[in-house]
Amino acid sequence: MNIGQAASASGVSAKMIRYYEQIGLLPAADRRDSGYRDYDTEDVHRLGFVRRARDLGFSIEQIRSLLALWSDAGRSNADVRAIARTHLKEMEEQARKLQDMIATLQALVGSCEKGARATCPIIEELGDHHPAPAAPTKARRRAA
Amino acid sequence: MNIGQAASASGVSAKMIRYYEQIGLLPAADRRDSGYRDYDTEDVHRLGFVRRARDLGFSIEQIRSLLALWSDAGRSNADVRAIARTHLKEMEEQARKLQDMIATLQALVGSCEKGARATCPIIEELGDHHPAPAAPTKARRRAA
DNA sequence: GCTTGACCTTCCCATGATGGGAAGGATTAG
DNA sequence: CTAATCCTTCCCATCATGGGAAGGTCAAGC
């Protein structure tokens, strides 16, 4: 089947299929005489695998490993779990940061709502309360 | 002061300062005869504002609006809150998606640990429950 | 003075994953 | 046969950030 059909069958766009092939995530597809790529059901199955892994937020490199394990009869579940756990940790860390930002911003919005002050706490906080000193007097700066 | 000093004083890298100027987020800095950019404490203050907004996950475009409101004496807190709330919603949505992915993956890892089955549920799920591995039984492709 | 090293300038390239679109060839339906 | 639709490759853009090269400037030491 053509790339367009493989795309709609797998849920991966034709653009992405070509991209995955280009970066070596997928083997180069067979070509017809015309130069058109040709896919079979196994290819579509693999594309679906990739799409579901992407839906779970796995990176391309992680999917590369998962694909290798997928087709490795002698794989160990521990290997797969290791990749999944690494990804889980990354996502949990990301979620923590996000929650921190949300909490901070919620607090700011809340105090901006309550106080009918002219000075909005959101703006005040971002402005760090005063014209910045030239020297990093506050040690909380991170190195550039 | 030079861009490097403004960078360490504000916590925004020199690269980013130039970038922000280039995209018009910040006004073009004064130049000395040498061509060096020249910053004063107000510039550093503004840079700090931008950095703190970035730390809260605001996009460049949102910061553009916040900056305008910051220097607008006649701003309304409601305008600021609107931007903050929009951003808050985006982050909350992002957090929900992330939590979904985490929960799904945690469940998969959990079931992969409990069952000592040869077939890892993670791989099975990604393979859409079809038998699968079907390691390149068909050696019709060159290895990736 | 002059040298040296740190700093600045602009410009180009890369990331990660995705999409848009152009130019041109292939296939297919009518 | 023709027109529409598909395919090909190639280039560009995103978003925010960094790396690095080539070359100019500044400040400190001798």
Side-chain angles (χ1 to χ4, degrees):
Chain A
M1 80 183 83
N2 285 343
I3 196 171
Q5 285 151 344
S8 49
S10 66
V12 179
S13 75
K15 277 276 192 191
M16 280 299 100
I17 296 176
R18 295 195 194 94
Y19 173 69
Y20 291 155
E21 178 181 324
Q22 187 199 319
I23 63 172
L25 180 67
L26 298 174
D30 286 344
R31 298 288 186 134
R32 296 199 225 141
D33 290 349
S34 63
Y36 281 23
R37 287 175 181 77
D38 197 8
Y39 298 89
D40 61 23
T41 52
E42 191 192 319
D43 295 319
V44 171
H45 191 196
R46 185 164 20 215
L47 283 167
F49 181 99
V50 171
R51 185 181 57 73
R52 282 180 288 275
R54 290 285 318 134
D55 285 350
L56 283 176
F58 283 97
S59 73
I60 295 289
E61 289 315 306
Q62 286 170 325
I63 296 174
R64 205 186 288 275
S65 306
L66 290 173
L67 271 173
L69 292 170
W70 187 38
S71 50
D72 175 9
R75 73 177 177 256
S76 82
N77 288 4
D79 290 344
V80 178
R81 279 201 308 269
I83 293 172
R85 279 220 202 84
T86 297
H87 179 40
L88 256 181
K89 275 186 193 158
E90 291 165 359
M91 287 198 295
E92 283 164 350
E93 175 61 21
Q94 204 184 330
R96 259 191 302 277
K97 283 183 187 163
L98 199 50
Q99 287 302 336
D100 275 359
M101 293 193 295
I102 288 171
T104 301
L105 199 50
Q106 272 173 342
L108 286 174
V109 170
S111 62
C112 181
E113 273 162 353
K114 283 174 194 156
R117 283 164 294 184
T119 56
C120 173
I122 299 171
I123 286 287
E124 292 300 302
E125 172 69 16
L126 290 173
D128 206 12
H129 305 296
H130 48 63
T137 32
K138 304 191 176 180
R140 65 189 181 77
R141 311 280 182 205
R142 51 169 144 105
Chain B
M1 81 183 82
N2 285 344
I3 196 171
Q5 285 151 345
S8 48
S10 67
V12 180
S13 74
K15 277 277 191 191
M16 280 301 98
I17 296 177
R18 295 194 194 96
Y19 173 70
Y20 292 155
E21 178 181 325
Q22 188 199 319
I23 63 172
L25 180 67
L26 299 174
D30 286 343
R31 299 290 185 130
R32 297 200 219 135
D33 290 350
S34 62
Y36 281 23
R37 287 174 180 78
D38 198 8
Y39 298 90
D40 60 23
T41 52
E42 190 193 323
D43 294 321
V44 171
H45 192 197
R46 184 164 25 214
L47 283 167
F49 181 100
V50 172
R51 185 182 59 73
R52 283 181 287 276
R54 291 283 320 135
D55 286 350
L56 283 175
F58 284 97
S59 73
I60 295 290
E61 289 315 307
Q62 286 170 325
I63 296 174
R64 206 185 289 275
S65 306
L66 290 173
L67 271 175
L69 292 170
W70 187 38
S71 50
D72 176 10
R75 72 177 177 254
S76 83
N77 288 4
D79 289 344
V80 178
R81 278 203 307 271
I83 293 173
R85 279 220 201 83
T86 297
H87 178 41
L88 209 40
K89 273 186 194 159
E90 290 165 359
M91 287 198 296
E92 283 164 350
E93 175 62 20
Q94 204 185 328
R96 260 191 300 277
K97 283 183 187 164
L98 198 50
Q99 286 302 338
D100 277 358
M101 293 194 294
I102 288 172
T104 303
L105 199 51
Q106 272 174 343
L108 285 173
V109 170
S111 61
C112 181
E113 273 163 352
K114 282 173 195 157
R117 284 165 294 185
T119 58
C120 173
I122 300 171
I123 287 287
E124 293 301 302
E125 173 71 16
L126 290 174
D128 205 13
H129 306 295
H130 291 311
T137 319
K138 310 176 180 180
R140 77 200 196 304
R141 297 191 190 284
R142 350 168 238 179

